[in-house]
Amino acid sequence: MEGKYSTMNTPIILFGNGECPTHPLVLDTINEAKTLICLDGGADRLITLGYKPHYILGDLDSIKREKDDYGCKIIRLKDQNMTDLEKGLLWCYNNGIKEICLVGFSGFRDDHIMATFWILSSFAEKMRITLLSNYSKVKCVKDKIILKTTPGQIISLVPTNLDAKIKTDGLQYALNKEKLSSPTQGISNVAKTTTCTIEATDWTWVILNHNQ
């Protein structure tokens, strides 16, 4: 079953075939979503959580059921020169989706996790993307952003380019339009208040670790 997507039903989750979500924050996010778009076998993983996908995207090589059993729109994406996540995000972008949450794209393989971070940065200029895992919330940011935090929350900043100048407000170890001396210098900062402000001159991964 195939069909076009409507941008009316937000918020939207793109659900992958990685580690199954167990953290309450992630499960609450799934529960609040109005549209659940799955990549291939992510559909079966979502079903095990008690949810039904609205769309399934991909080359369909890892789904376990017959197509008609899913009862949703299935859209085949055949380009083998891109990962499933790249194909999925490109489809979302081409269908007018401006903001999306990624769930099920961590765990199992470290190379996949690394690729996910770089894909996140490559689409950051096109869409507002949040990556949620059982351990953290990840955004790739540039210019200025204000984020909700919890005092004591561990927050890491990792620039995609060491020439990036970063300014922070609300973190224990403040930066004032500074370049980091190494990719690891921004690891394990700590939130002081209920919000923090981050400004960066180039794309920077912001990892907000869950408190529990």
Side-chain angles (χ1 to χ4, degrees), residues 22-98:
T22 58
H23 193 280
L25 185 151
V26 187
L27 295 175
D28 286 346
T29 301
I30 297 172
N31 194 51
E32 292 167 2
K34 297 295 179 60
T35 303
L36 296 166
I37 304 172
C38 293
L39 294 180
D40 271 331
D44 297 295
R45 201 170 294 280
L46 180 70
I47 289 170
T48 65
L49 294 173
Y51 297 92
K52 179 182 175 181
H54 298 102
Y55 294 81
I56 301 175
L57 312 177
D59 53 20
L60 311 179
D61 61 347
S62 59
I63 58 175
K64 297 178 180 179
R65 297 168 170 80
E66 296 296 326
K67 295 178 186 177
D68 290 341
D69 293 340
Y70 290 98
C72 68
K73 294 180 181 178
I74 296 178
I75 300 169
R76 186 180 292 274
L77 305 176
K78 298 181 180 180
D79 192 339
Q80 297 301 315
N81 294 317
M82 293 189 290
T83 66
D84 285 346
L85 178 54
E86 287 173 300
K87 288 185 286 187
L89 283 174
L90 184 60
W91 182 89
C92 291
Y93 174 72
N94 288 337
N95 280 273
I97 297 175
K98 302 298 184 183

Side-chain angles (χ1 to χ4, degrees), residues 5-197:
Y5 171 76
S6 169
T7 57
M8 296 295 290
N9 295 324
T10 58
I12 301 164
I13 286 179
L14 186 61
F15 197 92
N17 198 19
E19 184 178 48
C20 198
T22 58
H23 193 280
L25 185 151
V26 187
L27 295 175
D28 286 346
T29 301
I30 297 172
N31 194 51
E32 292 167 2
K34 297 295 179 60
T35 303
L36 296 166
I37 304 172
C38 293
L39 294 180
D40 271 331
D44 297 295
R45 201 170 294 280
L46 180 70
I47 289 170
T48 65
L49 294 173
Y51 297 92
K52 179 182 175 181
H54 298 102
Y55 294 81
I56 301 175
L57 312 177
D59 53 20
L60 311 179
D61 61 347
S62 59
I63 58 175
K64 297 178 180 179
R65 297 168 170 80
E66 296 296 326
K67 295 178 186 177
D68 290 341
D69 293 340
Y70 290 98
C72 68
K73 294 180 181 178
I74 296 178
I75 300 169
R76 186 180 292 274
L77 305 176
K78 298 181 180 180
D79 192 339
Q80 297 301 315
N81 294 317
M82 293 189 290
T83 66
D84 285 346
L85 178 54
E86 287 173 300
K87 288 185 286 187
L89 283 174
L90 184 60
W91 182 89
C92 291
Y93 174 72
N94 288 337
N95 280 273
I97 297 175
K98 302 298 184 183
E99 185 166 359
I100 197 164
C101 183
L102 307 183
V103 177
F105 293 95
S106 61
F108 302 144
R109 286 182 53 173
D110 293 338
D111 52 346
H112 283 178
I113 296 171
M114 181 178 290
T116 295
F117 270 60
W118 282 107
I119 293 168
L120 187 64
S121 68
S122 67
F123 276 85
E125 202 156 9
K126 299 179 177 73
M127 309 167 69
R128 294 184 297 277
I129 305 173
T130 300
L131 171 66
L132 272 181
S133 76
N134 287 325
Y135 314 101
S136 64
K137 176 189 294 186
V138 183
K139 293 179 176 287
C140 195
V141 306
K142 184 181 176 183
D143 300 325
K144 182 177 180 178
I145 189 170
I146 299 173
L147 299 169
K148 292 181 180 180
T149 54
T150 302
Q153 185 176 12
I154 297 174
I155 298 174
S156 294
L157 309 176
V158 183
T160 61
N161 179 356
L162 281 178
D163 285 330
K165 295 179 180 179
I166 301 173
K167 181 179 179 181
T168 65
D169 183 50
L171 297 182
Q172 182 174 340
Y173 307 106
L175 296 169
N176 187 16
K177 297 182 179 180
E178 300 173 49
K179 296 180 182 180
L180 300 184
S181 61
S182 74
T184 60
Q185 186 188 351
I187 297 293
S188 296
N189 211 323
V190 181
K192 296 194 300 181
T193 61
T194 55
T195 62
C196 74
T197 302

